Each structure stands twice: as C-alpha cells, then as structure tokens.
Amino acid sequence: MSVNGTAMVEAQNVHKYFHNNEVLRGISMRVAKGEVVVIIGPSGSGKTTFLRCINHLERINKGKILIDGEPMGYREEGDKVVEDTEKNIARMRAEIGMVFQRFNLFPHMTALQNIMEAPCQVKGVPREQAERRARELLAKVGLSEKADAYPARLSGGQQQRVAIARALAMDPKLMLFDEATSALDPELVGEVLKVMRQLAEEGMTMMVVTHEMSFARDVADRVIFMDGGVIVEQGKPSDIFSNPREERTRSFLRKVLEE
Amino acid sequence: MNPIQAFLKTYNGGAVLKYWHAPLIIEGIIITVVLAILAQTAGALIGLILYFMRRARFKPIGWIAEVYIWLFRGTPLLVQILVVYLSTSYLNIARPLQAADVFPALGFDPSGYSAALRPFIAGFLALALNEGAYMAEIVRAGIDSIDAGQMEAAKSLGMTYWTGMRRIVLPQAMRVILPPLGNEFNSMLKNTSLVSVISLYDLLGAAQAIGSPSFLTLELLTIASFWYLMMTTVWTIIQASLERRFNASNIEGGGSQSIWERLLTPDSLFPFMRRAPLAGPGR
C-alpha cells in the first residue's frame, strides 16, 4: 500500500457529542488506499460512532473528515462550515459501502432485488445489467441459489453476506464494517469473516469495527485500539497483540483474549 | 293499543318496498361511495403531507401541522362541513369544473349536476381535511414502526431521503397503515351522511328528500340504514380478504406477489416522488 498520495480516509481532530456526552474526543487518523484497518476497543469507546461519522450517518461537532481528499458532510461557506447538500452527501456515500451489525436488508425485497436496488435507483444502471452484476455478487458470496429468497427466509450469516453483496454492487472504493458478525450465532460467524477476508485480499480499502480478535490479527494491516473516545494506541497487529505499549490496551486484550 | 302496536300501525312497510331502489336513492348511493373514496384518498395524502411537515427541520412548518391536527380533531365534523360550505359559498368553487364542462363530457345532464356540485365539493373538502388530521396519526405510526436501520441502509447506499422513503420505508409502512386505513374508510362511508345538511343528495340526503314531503321519514331512514349496512358489509368483506392476503405474504417472509401488492408498488403509489438518478457512477 502506498503511503504517498491522497489517503482514502483522513480524520482530523473529530469531536462528537451526544447531548453533553462527548463520545469522540479528537480522533485523527488516516487510512491509505488498499489498507485494512481494524478498530477494536471496549463497548462505549466510540468506535461504532466514529465509523458512522465516516459516511455521515452521524454529524460531527468539530474537526474534519476527508474521503479521497474530499470533505465529507460539510462544506465551507465564507468562513463558516455548513452541512453539505443532501445530493453531495448521497453522491459520496454511494462510493462508501457499509455493512451493519443488524444487516438491515430490505425485507420486502428478494436477495437479488436488495442488491439491484441501489445501482438501479441511484446510478440508473439498466435492470438487465444490474441483475447480471447482482448474480455475480451472489455467486461471490456463495449464495447463488438464494437469489429469489426474501431476507426472512435466510439465516443471519446468509443475510449478512447478501448485505455485503448489496454494498459491493455500488462498486465502493471504501467498505465500512460495523460489528458485522456481532449479531450472528457463533457457528455463522466464519462464513461472513471468510467473505471479508476475501475482500481484503482483493485489495479493498476497509475499516472494520469488530470484536473478532483473530480477524484483526490475521487480516488487518493496522489495528487501532480506541477507548473513551480517543485512539489509545495503533500499530501492526503483531505489535498490538504481542507487545501493547499502553496499560489500557493490555487490560482490554487480557479480558477479550482470556475468553 | 300499546305503543308497539301504535308504531306498527303507522309504519308503512309498503313504502319501504316501494322506495328502496328509487332512482334518487341509487344516485345517492353513488354520490356517497364516490365522495367517500375521494375524501379518503385525499385524506390519506394530506396525512402523508402532515407527517413530513411534522418532521421538517424548519420547526414552524411542524407547528402549522400540529395546529391543523389540533383544530380538525378538536371540532365536530358537522361544524367543519358547515363552515367549509358557508365560507366557500361566495368563492364559487364549482366554477372551474363547470367552465371545463366536466359533466357533459362525462355524459351527465349539466343542469342537474352542477347544482349539486357546490355542496359536493364543499363536502369533499371538509371530509378530506378532517380525515387528513386522523390519517396523520396513522401514517406516523406506520412510518415510525419501520426500523431506523432501513433508512440508514438506504442512505449508506447513496439514496436520498426521498428515494429511501419511496422505495424502502413507505412500502413497508404500507403494511402497517392499511388495516387502520380500512377502518377509517368504514367510518368515512357513514360520516359522508353529514353532508346531507348542506343540501347534497347523498344517500341520506336523498332519503330525506323523499321522506320528508311524503311523511315517510322513518321508512326512508330504514332504507338508508339498509344501504349503509350493505356498503359497510361489502367493505368489511373486501378488507378482510385484503388483510388475509397481506398476512399470508408476511408469513412467507414479506413475499409472494399478490395482485394487491403489485398494485401497491412504490412507483404506482408515489409517482410524484420519483427522482432522476444521479448522473453516472461519479468517477
């Protein structure tokens, strides 16, 4: 991965409040193109909120987020910073795939329709072309035979794989995974991680919030440990897992790795 | 002679048989049904608009919606009908339709119908405005029942709020909205009878027009009641079959495409919300 050139994601001193509660206290970080960054940390550490700020599902109160060099969610008007137009935000989100903890498939559509919906509605891709691509993606996530199944007929792992295919149908340049395996029965986690691993190998730029430490260790280019709304420590997975510098990281890893 | 015998002596059963399908009654039924369908449809649209006004980011728009709902739910429908009728009496709201020769074009006698047009439009307006206030709550309950993650998923895929509403949220909300909407229509069929006070010959108006001069008031009210019962009964049967189909497809997992569901595609329901897709993949 290149260190030079524009970062895919650049966060500069991002602050976020919920009412009086400051959940992000100045996050600064970069994700290079093709890099896989895994964010770990205890619940309430702000990692999910930070991920949601990346595609502006959450507004930020201070700081700046750049996607491929372009400010996300806000623009400057004179010397004031105002929220960007809905159209601009939508255009930028179209290039950022997101996978949610609770899948959020559209229950009134088949797996195939779920995947075709955004390319047809947002990009205006012709239906036959969108369907061909959707079937390719279903094959990629190993669910070709489920094209006409409604989400309620699919297992959690299958739903999440459809959700990944749905995000990939927009040809995103960045994929965000928000605890994509946390809502799954343990025996279904593997099939989803396998798809994520494959994506990483293909060179997709990924930001992954997860509790799956083995995934972080094996797949991540870099691991970020967050706690209390700040980045406590980051580095290569081997360094973070075998040789953490900060006491907070050590105690967190002790707890999760003991299980 | 006890009171029951006295009643039976004066009640003219023959008149009921004579007038139950009189032309004026049949026309009244048509007016009632058409008025109910139009007012319910318009009321549902007003309810939808009120929902979006209430959640507008510019707060005064929401306040206007709140005042509207407060007003129309807090005053009697009969008063609203009278107020709309009297306050529009010098606007001549029927003129544009008359000028366009709508009734001759539809094959009706313009002289007979244009006289009924003014109370019809006033009645329609009052019923629709009133219904909108009630539909606002039903629409809100329907849309708010849909998990917020649905809109987030739509937005994360690059959809605008409106595209997400039209394609993702509203089609799901429709399943929640339809049963209470059906109950509202049942009430609407009966509430239309209030427009008889503004000299519209709907079913009740027609019954009174025949009954009062001939001293057959009770007999004609019997006929009107019979027809109202027929209308609500037929609707209840239709509603039950629709809901059965919806539940069946719900059990299948949101699934099988019934005729009803094919009719209720987002594009057929909300063509005015259709948006042009963003140009190109943007790279």
Side-chain angles (χ1 to χ4, degrees):
Chain A
M1 95 213 57
S2 66
V3 182
N4 302 320
T6 321
M8 185 59 80
V9 181
E10 180 165 0
Q12 300 171 357
N13 192 28
V14 171
H15 288 257
K16 166 77 187 170
Y17 301 85
F18 287 121
H19 304 290
N20 289 327
N21 184 19
E22 189 173 16
V23 287
L24 298 179
R25 302 164 181 261
I27 304 278
S28 297
M29 56 94 71
R30 286 163 64 96
V31 180
K33 284 171 187 162
E35 194 179 16
V36 176
V37 171
V38 171
I39 305 175
I40 58 173
S43 47
S45 59
K47 54 194 192 306
T48 284
T49 304
F50 178 57
L51 201 69
R52 289 164 57 84
C53 290
I54 302 285
N55 67 352
H56 200 62
L57 284 181
E58 300 285 352
R59 300 195 175 99
I60 61 177
N61 299 100
K62 199 176 152 192
K64 207 175 193 180
I65 292 170
L66 302 173
I67 306 294
D68 207 359
E70 195 178 350
M72 180 77 209
Y74 299 90
R75 65 201 155 93
E76 281 169 32
E77 226 168 54
D79 50 0
K80 271 201 305 198
V81 176
V82 296
E83 189 158 29
D84 208 346
T85 60
E86 191 191 9
K87 209 177 152 189
N88 263 336
I89 295 171
R91 175 181 56 77
M92 289 181 70
R93 278 184 186 142
E95 302 192 308
I96 305 172
M98 185 159 196
V99 178
F100 298 87
Q101 182 176 358
R102 287 173 52 242
F103 330 132
N104 295 345
L105 286 183
F106 307 135
H108 59 306
M109 297 179 180
T110 62
L112 195 69
Q113 289 166 340
N114 262 280
I115 301 171
M116 292 166 62
E117 182 65 11
C120 291
Q121 291 294 320
V122 177
K123 285 186 177 176
V125 174
R127 293 198 73 79
E128 311 80 66
Q129 195 187 324
E131 185 177 336
R132 215 176 318 128
R133 177 90 173 107
R135 289 193 188 279
E136 279 170 28
L137 287 166
L138 276 174
K140 184 188 171 93
V141 299
L143 290 171
S144 289
E145 76 287 5
K146 297 291 184 185
D148 298 320
Y150 283 88
R153 288 289 182 90
L154 299 174
S155 73
Q158 290 171 334
Q159 287 190 56
Q160 194 61 299
R161 284 187 281 157
V162 172
I164 293 172
R166 178 177 71 173
L168 292 175
M170 292 296 285
D171 295 318
K173 53 188 181 184
L174 166 68
M175 284 286 287
L176 309 175
F177 291 85
D178 180 15
E179 304 200 18
T181 56
S182 297
L184 296 176
D185 291 335
E187 76 271 20
L188 302 176
V189 169
E191 61 191 69
V192 173
L193 290 181
K194 195 178 135 206
V195 172
M196 290 168 64
R197 212 176 281 249
Q198 187 191 340
L199 266 182
E201 280 162 15
E202 288 167 8
M204 175 64 76
T205 310
M206 293 165 62
M207 286 180 75
V208 182
V209 168
T210 188
H211 294 295
E212 292 295 325
M213 293 304 143
S214 60
F215 180 85
R217 186 158 28 200
D218 301 346
V219 183
D221 295 309
R222 181 153 49 103
V223 173
I224 291 180
F225 173 68
M226 276 181 72
D227 191 15
V230 295
I231 293 176
V232 175
E233 182 169 357
Q234 55 178 311
K236 284 195 187 128
S238 53
D239 294 341
I240 296 281
F241 285 106
S242 50
N243 193 15
R245 288 188 308 265
E246 302 288 331
E247 173 50 36
R248 272 197 282 179
T249 317
R250 266 197 291 274
S251 78
F252 172 75
L253 288 174
R254 220 171 14 246
K255 269 183 227 150
V256 292
L257 294 177
E258 255 171 26
E259 286 166 8
Chain B
M1 200 161 65
N2 67 35
I4 294 172
Q5 285 171 320
F7 171 78
L8 289 175
K9 204 171 174 217
T10 51
Y11 191 81
N12 185 345
V16 173
L17 294 174
K18 183 179 170 196
Y19 288 113
W20 76 277
H21 62 331
L24 197 59
I25 296 289
I26 301 300
E27 281 173 33
I29 293 169
I30 294 169
I31 290 178
T32 291
V33 170
V34 170
L35 186 62
I37 292 173
L38 288 179
Q40 188 63 54
T41 308
L45 286 175
I46 292 171
L48 196 61
I49 292 166
L50 287 169
Y51 173 83
F52 291 117
M53 287 175 71
R54 277 171 144 184
R55 65 172 310 291
R57 217 183 281 179
F58 184 59
K59 290 287 169 239
I61 294 176
W63 301 337
I64 293 171
E66 296 296 346
V67 169
Y68 175 100
I69 291 164
W70 171 71
L71 213 62
F72 277 91
R73 283 166 56 113
T75 56
L77 177 55
L78 181 56
V79 173
Q80 292 165 19
I81 289 170
L82 287 168
V83 167
V84 171
Y85 180 61
L86 295 172
S87 60
T88 55
S89 62
Y90 42 87
L91 291 177
N92 197 0
I93 44 181
R95 189 182 291 149
L97 283 175
Q98 282 167 336
D101 282 340
V102 170
F103 285 92
L106 290 172
F108 293 120
D109 170 17
S111 60
Y113 279 89
S114 57
L117 203 51
R118 202 166 69 83
F120 183 88
I121 293 175
F124 160 74
L125 275 179
L127 287 167
L129 291 171
N130 177 271
E131 183 58 24
Y134 287 92
M135 283 304 299
E137 292 300 327
I138 291 170
V139 169
R140 175 155 81 172
I143 294 178
D144 288 354
S145 73
I146 305 305
D147 187 86
Q150 290 290 307
M151 181 57 92
E152 287 187 350
K155 283 182 171 175
S156 79
L157 289 162
M159 291 186 214
T160 57
Y161 174 80
W162 284 109
T163 306
M165 253 308 149
R166 180 173 64 82
R167 297 287 309 174
I168 308 302
V169 176
L170 282 176
Q172 295 180 58
M174 210 51 78
R175 289 165 184 276
V176 184
I177 291 171
L178 275 171
L181 178 78
N183 295 339
E184 284 295 298
F185 186 65
N186 187 305
S187 306
M188 178 63 83
L189 281 168
K190 293 167 289 178
N191 285 344
T192 52
S193 63
L194 292 170
V195 298
S196 60
V197 300
I198 54 174
S199 65
L200 182 64
Y201 289 164
D202 72 314
L203 176 52
L204 181 60
Q208 286 174 325
I210 299 172
S212 298
S214 54
F215 300 104
L216 292 167
T217 317
L218 208 51
E219 290 78 358
L220 266 295
L221 287 178
T222 310
I223 293 170
S225 302
F226 166 76
W227 283 117
Y228 281 116
L229 262 176
M230 287 303 105
M231 287 190 271
T232 50
T233 304
V234 167
W235 174 246
T236 304
I237 293 167
I238 293 173
Q239 196 189 351
S241 88
L242 290 180
E243 282 179 21
R244 239 196 331 273
R245 254 184 243 182
F246 259 86
N247 288 338
S249 57
N250 267 338
I251 291 160
E252 282 204 32
S256 70
Q257 287 247 315
S258 63
I259 298 164
W260 181 240
E261 283 185 296
R262 254 173 276 160
L263 277 174
L264 286 175
T265 62
D267 280 329
S268 70
L269 277 175
F270 310 104
F272 55 91
M273 286 186 188
R274 200 173 304 177
R275 287 286 181 91
L278 291 175
R283 282 199 200 166

